[in-house]
Amino acid sequence: MMAQPKIMNAAGAQNAELKDYIFASESVAEGHPDKVCDRVSDSIVDLFLAADPEARVACETLATTDTLIIAGECRGPASVTKEKIIETARNAVKEIGYEQEGFHWKTMNVQYLLHQQSADIAQGVDAGAAKDEGAGDQGIMFGYACRETDELMPAPIFYSHKILRLLAEDRHNGKLNDMLGPDAKSQISLEYRDGKPVRATSVVVSTQHKDGLSQKDVKEIVRPYIMQVLPQGFMCPEEEFYVNPTGRFVIGGPDGDCGLTGRKIIVDTYGGAAPHGGGAFSGKDPTKVDRSAAYAARYLAKNIVSAGFADKCTIQLSYAIGVSKPLSVYVNTHGTGEVDEQALVKAIGKVMDLSPRGIRTHLKLNRPIYKKTSSYGHFGRVAEADGSFSWEACDLVEALKKAL
């Protein structure tokens, strides 16, 4: 008689963690066509919030050869004019470094299609005499933290981001002598033993480069950045180190491929190591819980791990448009918890107001801090003095301990 398969419920399946496996994550540079669009959209969000912290923005950008299209809805002061928005978009592209024949910040055609926010959406979000500010949309948002890196991020996505960030820094400061262009991608595959990363099984970097450089030339330019980022002994075998596998990458950015805002949501979060609710972040003001509640979930998960309550933590929040309270709060410590998950759910409710207004107030999100988030991940960054990446602070640890 055949043995019957073991049946697990959802929680059981999530807690049945693999111990030995290979896992890969990718990142894309600020000059990738999709990231160009994220940067433009977030720069426009910052423009509005600098003029009015209560402004509403849902800005989508499309980039293709010599053309940028800005669309969406907004509500803000009259001082934020069409001309200022177009100027902001051009400056965002200029900062990335696009001065190429097929895509140049100064000569590109910018089409402006922003319009006023829908009154039906506004009435659901706005606070009134009988209701608090509601969520800007329905949806589910996830946060995650783990002990694979000091930043409490999954190692594959963290290393993938850092390689591209260091390359971009040296491109901007002139150390690369214009040998590499703005467009690039990276991908790291790590071997895990007993649930911990031990080495890279493969490394892939594709980067736009100056015409005339060979594939070997580009590989040797990139190699020191890989060695700087990966821990000692982690480098993959030489035959599994791939740089520009097609052999040539001169035409890049929107001249080579179309870009759209919000098309790199897994790059923006945890590289696939944790769930994603499906909503993009860039181009949205913080009344949109797609963005703000995902930041809150990361903040809570990071503080739970930092406090020593678990080695790994996933948090899910859910919301309905126009409703101020979260509809559900879910915590999973993947079998690593020192505290019961339901106790953590109750503690979360004591230490943070998870209404849209509560999140924005606690994390001080109504500030022009979003352009920086558009490249190299929204998580695993350093909380800065201007309020950027406030959700990366571990300042809830003592409050959580007290609540428990």
Side-chain angles (χ1 to χ4, degrees):
M1 184 175 177
M2 289 184 64
Q4 294 299 308
K6 186 176 180 180
I7 298 174
M8 288 185 179
N9 60 25
Q14 287 178 326
N15 282 316
E17 299 286 327
L18 291 172
K19 296 295 183 182
D20 302 318
Y21 55 93
I22 295 172
F23 191 82
S25 294
E26 71 156 353
S27 179
V28 296
E30 62 198 51
H32 184 281
D34 295 330
K35 281 293 154 197
V36 171
C37 295
D38 285 347
R39 190 184 188 111
V40 169
S41 293
D42 275 336
S43 296
I44 291 169
V45 171
D46 284 353
L47 176 68
F48 273 95
L49 293 178
D52 178 2
E54 301 298 327
R56 302 280 171 77
V57 189
C59 177
E60 312 294 342
T61 304
L62 180 148
T64 187
T65 304
D66 207 29
T67 300
L68 201 70
I69 300 173
I70 302 167
E73 56 277 350
C74 58
R75 189 178 79 189
S79 61
V80 182
T81 62
K82 172 183 175 180
E83 291 72 26
K84 283 188 177 180
I85 291 170
I86 291 175
E87 181 185 9
T88 297
R90 291 192 187 280
N91 286 337
V93 174
K94 181 181 181 181
E95 288 166 358
I96 294 169
Y98 275 113
E99 296 185 345
Q100 300 172 4
E101 183 179 350
F103 194 71
H104 195 297
W105 65 270
K106 185 182 291 185
T107 59
M108 66 184 180
N109 171 33
V110 180
Q111 298 183 27
Y112 176 89
L113 299 172
L114 281 175
H115 60 85
Q116 285 294 308
Q117 184 184 48
S118 160
D120 289 350
I121 292 175
Q123 72 176 359
V125 177
D126 290 343
K131 66 182 283 290
D132 191 9
E133 178 184 292
D137 201 354
Q138 73 173 52
I140 56 175
M141 300 85 208
F142 286 93
Y144 181 72
C146 63
R147 294 197 182 278
E148 292 178 21
T149 61
D150 290 342
E151 294 76 10
L152 303 185
M153 283 290 287
I157 187 67
F158 183 77
Y159 298 149
S160 295
H161 282 323
K162 191 170 182 179
I163 289 165
L164 296 184
R165 182 168 51 80
L166 293 178
L167 281 167
E169 287 175 2
D170 281 357
R171 177 174 60 84
H172 284 299
N173 65 29
K175 288 184 179 179
L176 290 173
N177 296 318
D178 296 323
M179 291 184 292
L180 301 185
D183 195 356
K185 301 179 79 171
S186 62
Q187 183 173 290
I188 306 289
S189 300
L190 292 184
E191 180 183 350
Y192 286 73
R193 293 180 191 162
D194 197 25
K196 297 179 181 179
V198 295
R199 71 180 184 98
T201 59
S202 66
V203 175
V204 185
V205 175
S206 295
T207 178
Q208 189 180 11
H209 60 86
K210 185 178 180 180
D211 199 6
L213 290 177
S214 69
Q215 185 182 30
K216 184 178 179 181
D217 292 334
V218 178
K219 190 171 190 177
E220 294 313 309
I221 292 169
V222 168
R223 186 187 299 273
Y225 295 89
I226 312 294
M227 303 305 294
Q228 180 180 345
V229 169
L230 292 180
Q232 188 171 3
F234 267 50
M235 184 60 180
C236 66
E238 185 65 21
E239 63 270 19
E240 296 298 329
F241 177 30
Y242 304 95
V243 174
N244 289 1
T246 63
R248 176 181 166 87
F249 188 1
V250 173
I251 300 171
D255 190 25
D257 196 7
C258 183
L260 289 168
T261 298
R263 204 159 56 172
K264 287 292 179 285
I265 56 177
I266 301 304
V267 170
D268 286 343
T269 53
Y270 307 101
H276 192 293
F281 303 157
S282 289
K284 297 176 181 177
D285 74 77
T287 66
K288 278 74 171 173
V289 285
D290 276 343
R291 178 168 226 159
S292 57
Y295 292 171
R298 161 65 178 174
Y299 176 61
L300 291 165
K302 187 174 183 181
N303 275 270
I304 285 170
V305 173
S306 184
F309 296 136
D311 290 334
K312 186 184 296 187
C313 181
T314 298
I315 290 178
Q316 185 205 62
L317 305 173
S318 71
Y319 292 85
I321 188 168
V323 179
S324 62
K325 67 176 182 178
L327 304 186
S328 65
V329 179
Y330 164 86
V331 177
N332 184 358
T333 55
H334 305 274
T336 70
E338 300 293 328
V339 178
D340 177 73
E341 277 107 340
Q342 290 308 309
L344 287 170
V345 170
K346 291 178 181 178
I348 284 171
K350 294 177 182 177
V351 301
M352 188 173 182
D353 175 1
L354 289 173
S355 69
R357 183 192 297 277
I359 292 171
R360 290 191 295 115
T361 301
H362 190 111
L363 296 176
K364 299 180 173 62
L365 297 180
N366 283 83
R367 294 186 277 190
I369 56 174
Y370 297 105
K371 181 172 69 173
K372 297 177 186 177
T373 69
S374 63
S375 304
Y376 314 117
H378 292 244
F379 309 125
R381 310 289 286 272
V382 177
E384 299 182 10
D386 67 354
S388 304
F389 306 104
S390 59
W391 50 92
E392 290 297 309
C394 293
D395 54 7
L396 270 188
V397 168
E398 293 307 315
L400 282 167
K401 289 179 178 179
K402 185 176 180 181
L404 286 162

